[in-house]
Amino acid sequence: MSACLAVAVVVPVHDEEALLDACLESLAHAVAAVHGFGVAVVVVLDACADGSAEIARRHDVTTIEIGDHNVGAARRAGVERARLQLAVDPAELWIATTDADSTVPPNWLTHQLDLAARGHDVVLGNVRPDFVGLSADHVAYWHATHAPGIPLGNVHGANLGMRASVYDQVGGFAPLPEHEDADLVDRAREVGAQVTASADAVVVTSARFDGRTPGGYAGFLRGRAAELAETA
């Protein structure tokens, strides 16, 4: 198995002017920690009607615009654009995705690339909500039900990495309005890809209950809030 020589980072965006700047600033720190790799960060502006485009263009990223209003199509378009920019063999490319309402830690990319160098094909990273957006009871419940440092193995597009050769083998992101991340990982498992869960580079995402897709992480948080209400 070839070592990865480059990494494509993809961020789908739909009307995220309030949170996008923090996302891209965190990505700049993660990219700065990467040495010896080609890196392309592609921000996919999908049917944006706010100031997201202007914010993205203030950062050292590539921006493309689509009108699909579809997160699966946005991630797929971002991967395709990054690959044109990097022009490396699929066996030498790592694909990392996050979300525009999320912030990544400085070791986000280096950690994924370290795992790739050790033969892992897919990395499922932990995600936690921004506690600033939650009630004190919800934060306490979160801590009570999530032990620190334990890989959860959940699939989140906000903290996902995959070897490009595996991505190609399974046909890439499908144009789904949600759960495109879980669908991709399911297909990777079916072909025998080595999937690993990690808690070493946690991504912090918005704690809003109404997200940009019908379910997604906002739906997950709504479910947690319902659990909390049942225990009250």
Side-chain angles (χ1 to χ4, degrees):
M1 180 179 296
S2 300
C4 289
L5 302 179
V7 57
V9 181
V10 176
V11 187
V13 181
H14 174 64
D15 291 347
E16 291 286 8
E17 63 181 5
L19 299 170
L20 182 58
D21 200 50
C23 170
L24 297 182
E25 286 181 2
S26 73
L27 276 174
H29 292 296
V31 170
V34 174
H35 303 287
F37 295 83
V39 182
V41 180
V42 178
V43 173
V44 184
L45 300 156
D46 184 11
C48 289
D50 67 351
S52 294
E54 290 77 7
I55 292 168
R57 289 171 185 141
R58 294 202 295 262
H59 292 264
D60 186 18
V61 299
T62 298
T63 61
I64 60 174
E65 297 189 37
I66 64 173
D68 295 59
H69 205 150
N70 181 291
V71 66
R75 290 199 205 276
R76 187 181 186 93
V79 171
E80 291 173 355
R81 178 62 182 84
R83 297 181 77 161
L84 288 174
Q85 187 170 329
L86 292 166
V88 298
D89 187 275
E92 300 174 339
L93 176 65
W94 185 258
I95 298 166
T97 77
T98 191
D99 289 336
D101 67 337
S102 304
T103 57
V104 304
N107 70 329
W108 185 60
L109 291 176
T110 55
H111 177 61
Q112 288 195 16
L113 290 168
D114 286 345
L115 290 173
R118 286 152 48 188
H120 299 279
D121 298 314
V122 181
V123 176
L124 310 179
N126 283 7
V127 169
R128 75 157 178 86
D130 183 352
F131 295 142
V132 173
L134 296 178
S135 69
D137 286 344
H138 201 153
V139 172
Y141 183 69
W142 179 272
H143 285 304
T145 55
H146 292 77
I150 303 298
L152 299 177
N154 300 323
V155 181
H156 298 290
N159 196 356
L160 176 64
M162 180 176 289
R163 195 178 301 277
S165 54
V166 173
Y167 180 89
D168 289 347
Q169 185 179 358
V170 302
F173 282 110
L176 299 174
E178 62 180 352
H179 307 313
E180 78 297 335
D181 43 9
D183 170 73
L184 178 68
V185 174
D186 284 345
R187 285 182 278 125
R189 292 186 194 276
E190 289 173 359
V191 300
Q194 184 170 342
V195 180
T196 189
S198 174
D200 291 340
V202 178
V203 168
V204 177
T205 197
S206 166
R208 63 191 177 199
F209 286 1
D210 295 314
R212 296 298 184 262
T213 64
Y217 197 70
F220 172 75
L221 287 179
R222 289 197 302 272
R224 287 292 181 181
E227 292 175 10
L228 175 58
E230 291 175 359
T231 64

